[in-house]
Amino acid sequence: MVKETGGRLLGDFALDRTSETPLHRQIYLQIRTHVLNGQLPGGARLPSTRTLTAELGVSRITIVNAFEELCAEGFLRSRAGDGTYVGEEWRSQFAAEPAPERPVLSARASATTSSRGSELTSHAPASWNPDDAESFVPSQVGVDAFPVRTWKRLLARHGERRDVDMLGYGDPFGHRPLREAIADYLNDARGIGATAEQVVICTGAQQAFNALALLMVDSGDEVWMEDPGHIAARLAFLANGCTVRGIPIDADGADLAAGAALHKPGRLMFVTPSRQHPLGVSMSLGRRMEWIKWANENNSWIIEDDCDSELRYRGPLMPTLFGLDRSQHVIHVGTFSKIMFPSLRIGYAVLPTDLVEPFKAAVQVIGRTPSTLLQAVATDFIREGHLHAHIRRTRRLYLARQDALLAALRDQLHPFITAEPVDAGMHVIGWLPEHVDDQLLAAQLADRGIYTYALGDYYLDGGGRPALLIGFAATGEAHMPQAVSHMVRALHHIGHIW
């Protein structure tokens, strides 16, 4: 430990000889920190290299290397024959006062961000730790099911290419072969009826939402959304200064008549008709036609998020709004995050013809398309039939995991949590007693490494029966009883005994 020596001040600090950080770098970092926080004021003389060598038990070259780096960056000044000093410019008020304690995020947000930024902070979903073993996060996929050997082979196929198409910025619309493959896939699987020219590649569905909010609405415009509804899409519209109005959900999906009675027509409607997020309702054909008529009559837009459409276990798959609409008021958004893996960051928007160029411009403002290398690999994955095969395997796997989760909930948590089978998607709704605060409970579980989502987070203005969204895709069938038992222990620790 280095002490004040002969009036030459150097604050206490220690070296960690087990660290991977070199000793000279540790010395550099600690002296730099002392200068920045005012412990070493401008003009202060440092102990000699000989003194530091003796007290720290390091070689002189270690000290010299640290001092040279600090001198090069202006923190120290070396005077020939007179030693080493802190630079005179650090006599300023900035360096003389210790740095204030960092305030909490909420206080900083209200003080330093815009009112819109503060609102976004208050609506942002809670984070979770993917390393925790018992994660029931609804968006977490079963990564153990992905055919990594096939992906590795396809990746090697394109990994050694050095052409401009592969290593340059890439087509702002997205890799042309991938756009063609997506159009063929959607026409076959969803009856979209679109061409490759109408497909634009995005870095996931969220970039599409952000670009559409930038492109389609102005600050102050009213946007309709399902209530409860998609949190990420809501944040995209709030970030653009829009007023978001909630549309109630019934057994047929978003209730247009109820929405029209509550609000004047919005500039656009965001809807998840294939599997309403988060409740899981599939919109009826009659209701789909009502919404298309509404958009046409009011010259409004519909953003159709086709989330979880491929992960259907029972019942018919209804046609898309985009495929039913003949007047081009519907924009279709999809992603490969749920059916392949989230870090791939490839999504897409299927647009009416006259919106393609404007949407491309909006996407470029927010960020460029994903890695062309990954787009090329995804193209082959789709064209060679691997995606279809993976979806078929995933459906069987996820259905078995859902059944295991429902059985474990019934055996270990009934009647505190009750849940029913779902026809599609990666989570069930775990209904709670009326007196339970689902948002508080989700936070308490997260503190104990059990991650779920509270249904209350999805409502615009609160309300609704309390429930947890409990994901099943990422937990193995055999492990499910043990995972649920960890939730039981956490609930008992919190104080919920039934």
Side-chain angles (χ1 to χ4, degrees):
M1 304 291 289
V2 178
K3 308 294 183 180
E4 184 174 348
T5 305
R8 292 169 291 187
L9 177 64
L10 189 61
D12 290 356
F13 69 95
L15 301 180
D16 181 0
R17 299 179 189 276
T18 65
S19 172
E20 295 182 358
T21 303
L23 293 176
H24 81 275
R25 186 67 179 175
Q26 293 184 46
I27 295 169
Y28 156 83
L29 290 171
Q30 294 186 61
I31 293 177
R32 181 181 185 273
T33 298
H34 289 336
V35 173
L36 287 173
N37 65 23
Q39 288 180 257
L40 278 174
R45 183 177 180 180
L46 273 68
S48 68
T49 57
R50 179 178 299 177
T51 299
L52 289 175
T53 295
E55 295 199 13
L56 290 177
V58 297
S59 68
R60 184 173 180 274
I61 191 63
T62 298
I63 304 296
V64 170
N65 286 340
F67 277 19
E68 285 182 348
E69 192 167 350
L70 289 160
C71 288
E73 295 182 5
F75 290 97
L76 302 182
R77 293 287 183 269
S78 179
R79 301 177 185 175
D82 191 30
T84 303
Y85 295 78
V86 179
E88 290 293 333
E89 59 269 39
W90 297 101
R91 290 186 183 275
S92 65
Q93 184 71 18
F94 167 77
E97 295 183 354
E101 183 177 339
R102 186 178 184 184
V104 296
L105 175 62
S106 58
R108 283 193 0 263
S110 61
T112 62
T113 66
S114 65
S115 58
R116 186 183 306 172
S118 299
E119 185 175 10
L120 285 175
T121 302
S122 68
H123 286 278
S127 60
W128 55 279
N129 183 0
D131 293 330
D132 279 336
E134 312 309 345
S135 172
F136 295 97
V137 172
S139 57
Q140 182 72 348
V141 304
V143 293
D144 57 320
F146 190 74
V148 291
R149 290 184 179 178
T150 299
W151 186 259
K152 179 180 179 181
R153 176 172 55 83
L154 299 178
L155 185 61
R157 180 184 297 172
H158 296 280
E160 294 184 354
R161 290 176 54 183
R162 291 188 291 180
D163 51 277
V164 173
D165 287 342
M166 189 58 55
L167 300 183
Y169 281 106
D171 189 331
F173 289 99
H175 189 49
R176 173 72 190 198
L178 178 59
R179 296 166 61 206
E180 294 171 349
I182 290 174
D184 291 341
Y185 165 74
L186 292 175
N187 292 338
D188 176 47
R190 304 294 286 120
I192 285 284
T195 66
E197 284 72 20
Q198 293 175 271
V199 177
V200 178
I201 307 300
C202 310
T203 54
Q206 187 61 41
Q207 188 191 34
F209 302 154
N210 292 335
L212 288 167
L214 180 66
L215 178 66
M216 308 302 296
V217 290
D218 292 315
S219 180
D221 280 350
E222 293 199 355
V223 172
W224 286 12
M225 285 193 66
E226 299 161 318
D227 191 21
H230 200 300
I231 295 175
R234 181 203 314 167
L235 292 174
F237 297 122
L238 289 175
N240 206 51
C242 298
T243 300
V244 179
R245 304 296 188 190
I247 306 300
I249 308 297
D250 63 15
D252 289 322
D255 189 343
L256 173 58
L262 292 170
H263 316 299
K264 65 181 181 180
R267 170 66 174 164
L268 63 79
M269 169 66 179
F270 181 93
V271 66
T272 53
S274 293
R275 183 184 186 277
Q276 199 279 327
H277 189 67
L279 295 178
V281 177
S282 180
M283 184 180 286
S284 67
L285 179 60
R287 186 64 60 78
R288 291 170 190 250
M289 299 309 298
E290 288 178 12
W291 278 108
I292 290 172
K293 181 180 179 182
W294 169 86
N296 294 340
E297 290 179 347
N298 291 284
N299 197 28
S300 298
W301 297 95
I302 295 176
I303 299 176
E304 173 186 32
D305 180 12
D306 204 35
C307 64
D308 293 343
S309 65
E310 296 93 346
L311 299 176
R312 177 158 290 276
Y313 316 116
R314 311 175 186 89
L317 185 59
M318 303 299 292
T320 64
L321 295 178
F322 189 98
L324 293 171
D325 180 31
R326 292 292 176 264
S327 60
Q328 300 196 63
H329 282 82
V330 176
I331 301 157
H332 182 94
V333 176
T335 180
F336 293 107
S337 293
K338 303 291 181 62
I339 56 174
M340 291 177 67
F341 54 93
S343 67
L344 181 62
R345 307 313 309 140
I346 292 181
Y348 54 85
V350 187
L351 303 141
T353 305
D354 57 352
L355 283 184
V356 173
E357 283 286 347
F359 182 80
K360 180 192 72 172
V363 166
Q364 288 183 292
V365 169
I366 296 171
R368 291 186 176 272
T369 55
S371 159
T372 307
L373 172 61
L374 294 181
Q375 292 186 65
V377 178
T379 301
D380 291 352
F381 193 79
I382 297 170
R383 282 181 168 170
E384 295 179 10
H386 305 299
L387 180 60
H388 280 293
H390 177 57
I391 290 173
R392 289 194 298 269
R393 289 192 302 269
T394 301
R395 284 174 182 155
R396 294 192 297 269
L397 182 69
Y398 287 3
L399 180 57
R401 291 180 176 183
Q402 179 191 165
D403 291 343
L405 172 62
L406 292 171
L409 291 174
R410 184 174 58 250
D411 294 342
Q412 301 183 50
L413 280 168
H414 186 81
F416 184 73
I417 293 180
T418 59
E420 299 296 329
V422 294
D423 294 334
M426 302 194 303
H427 73 265
V428 300
I429 301 291
W431 298 105
L432 300 167
E434 291 288 349
H435 67 276
V436 175
D437 183 332
D438 57 359
Q439 293 169 301
L440 175 61
L441 180 59
Q444 292 173 326
L445 287 172
D447 287 341
R448 290 158 179 82
I450 309 294
Y451 295 95
T452 62
Y453 291 161
L455 181 59
D457 291 339
Y458 291 80
Y459 282 95
L460 285 170
D461 300 309
R465 181 179 170 186
L468 298 175
L469 277 66
I470 307 176
F472 52 79
T475 304
E477 181 182 357
H479 181 67
M480 194 69 76
Q482 180 181 344
V484 173
S485 71
H486 289 172
M487 181 186 292
V488 173
R489 287 195 294 272
L491 288 169
H492 278 288
H493 186 80
I494 293 167
H496 290 285
I497 301 175
W498 52 96

